Structure formats: structure tokens, C-alpha cells
Amino acid sequence: MLIVIPLRFTHHDAQWVVASLGFFFNVLRLFKYSCVTRATGLYTKTLARIVYRDITRFSCVFLVVFLAFCGAFFSVASSNQRCASVWWV
């Protein structure tokens, strides 16, 4: 998080990426304290299992649908010269 300070003073755009990554990893540190009781430990294990299994499967399906949508959008946008000039200016 201390890397953000010099980036703020130099008005560098990377400050936002560094700050968001720092915030993300700082929030993830909260899971360290979630194994206080038996119920919260089970919750943490379940959440880790969801992240490990389900999000990877969802990401694969989402990527296929997203690429299909992008291809269809690109085809529609470039099918008409007037429409293509509007989108790509």
C-alpha cells in the first residue's frame, strides 16, 4: 500500500491498479480470522471449495459465451461501413 504514495505524487495511472490490488489482498487477509469456531471453519472450507471448483468451471463457460458475443458484435458492427465507422472512431 505504501507504493501508492509515490505514484499519487507523480500522477501516474498505475496508482489505481496498485491500490485496487492492495485492497483486494487486504480483504483476503480477513479469511485468516474466520476459523475461530467450528461453524466458521466449515464455512471457510466450503468457500474455498467453491472458489477452487465452481469458479473455474464458470470462468470456462463464461469465456465461451463472452467470445461468442464478442464475435457476433464484431460481425454486426463491421457488416455496415457506416456502422463500423461509428464504433471504431
Side-chain angles (χ1 to χ4, degrees):
M1 294 299 288
L2 294 175
I3 299 171
V4 176
I5 296 170
L7 293 175
R8 288 284 287 178
F9 286 118
T10 60
H11 303 289
H12 202 277
D13 285 335
Q15 67 181 333
W16 302 112
V17 175
V18 172
S20 64
L21 285 174
F23 180 77
F24 177 72
F25 289 121
N26 217 8
V27 169
L28 287 181
R29 285 180 32 197
L30 290 176
F31 285 116
K32 178 172 57 174
Y33 302 109
S34 65
C35 293
V36 176
T37 66
R38 188 179 194 128
T40 58
L42 182 62
Y43 174 73
T44 305
K45 288 179 184 178
T46 304
L47 189 61
R49 189 177 301 135
I50 288 171
V51 168
Y52 179 69
R53 291 183 184 168
D54 294 339
I55 291 192
T56 55
R57 292 177 190 165
F58 171 76
S59 298
C60 293
V61 172
F62 179 78
L63 184 66
V64 169
V65 172
F66 181 72
L67 289 176
F69 177 77
C70 288
F73 185 73
F74 180 75
S75 296
V76 167
S78 61
S79 66
N80 188 353
Q81 187 63 28
R82 188 180 123 218
C83 184
S85 65
V86 171
W87 287 107
W88 306 117
V89 171

